[in-house]
Amino acid sequence: MSLRYKSGQQVSDSVSLLISMLVRYPEISSICCEPNTKEIKFTFLLNDNENNINEFSKLINKCLSTLFYLKKGEVINPFNIKYSTCGKLTVLDIYRKLDNLSAQELNLIISLTQDYFKDSLVVEVEELTKEDQLFQEDLIGAMLDNLGHELTNQKLFAFREEGRVMVFNK
């Protein structure tokens, strides 16, 4: 995929990956890459603060630990979940170490988040065709495999606003 800035300069693979993640998964409100901690933070917005985040945290940790055990034969949990509330809005942050993040893990996180929070999950409505979804998933998987931990060289912040995806180098 060859995205370009208005100036004609080619967009880096790291920026392309964040754009693809936000395009494919409208459930993700923003993504932040932290080079110091080598983490990526996925932020989700919830319409109410009646959700049991601690219960969700246990569920996602159990599911991801099982996935890691099946893939690697060991139980590891490189995830951390934090949340804050502001009025009736809950901001859910899921932190993941960047070393060997896979598209399969990302799909599991999104599916669990959708299933658990259902209607309270804020989703920017942007319907992709099934073909576009599969293309974006393949693209994300390939970029994650190619980039690996190199994504952490820059502090990037990506978010969506009114149907557009914006990425900033902080």
Side-chain angles (χ1 to χ4, degrees), residues 37-103:
T37 60
K38 298 190 184 320
E39 286 183 320
I40 188 166
K41 176 178 74 170
F42 300 102
T43 300
F44 299 87
L45 298 177
L46 307 171
N47 269 329
D48 61 57
N49 51 17
E50 300 298 318
N51 297 296
N52 188 339
I53 304 293
N54 292 328
E55 185 179 305
F56 172 72
S57 182
K58 289 176 188 173
L59 171 69
I60 199 168
N61 284 329
K62 183 178 178 180
C63 291
L64 290 168
S65 293
T66 302
L67 176 66
F68 295 134
Y69 181 77
L70 292 172
K71 283 176 66 175
K72 300 177 178 148
E74 58 185 325
V75 177
I76 56 173
N77 189 1
F79 286 85
N80 188 17
I81 296 176
K82 296 180 181 177
Y83 71 96
S84 60
T85 58
C86 182
K88 292 190 177 205
L89 190 67
T90 300
V91 179
L92 174 67
D93 294 321
I94 300 178
Y95 296 82
R96 164 65 159 96
K97 289 288 185 188
L98 270 170
D99 50 356
N100 65 29
L101 172 66
S102 72

Side-chain angles (χ1 to χ4, degrees), residues 3 5 11-21 143 147 151 154 156 158 165 167-169:
L3 295 175
Y5 294 105
V11 173
S12 73
D13 288 341
S14 300
V15 172
S16 293
L17 175 61
L18 298 184
I19 291 169
S20 291
M21 286 179 173
M143 284 191 275
L147 283 175
L151 185 61
Q154 304 175 60
L156 298 173
V165 173
V167 181
F168 294 94
N169 186 351

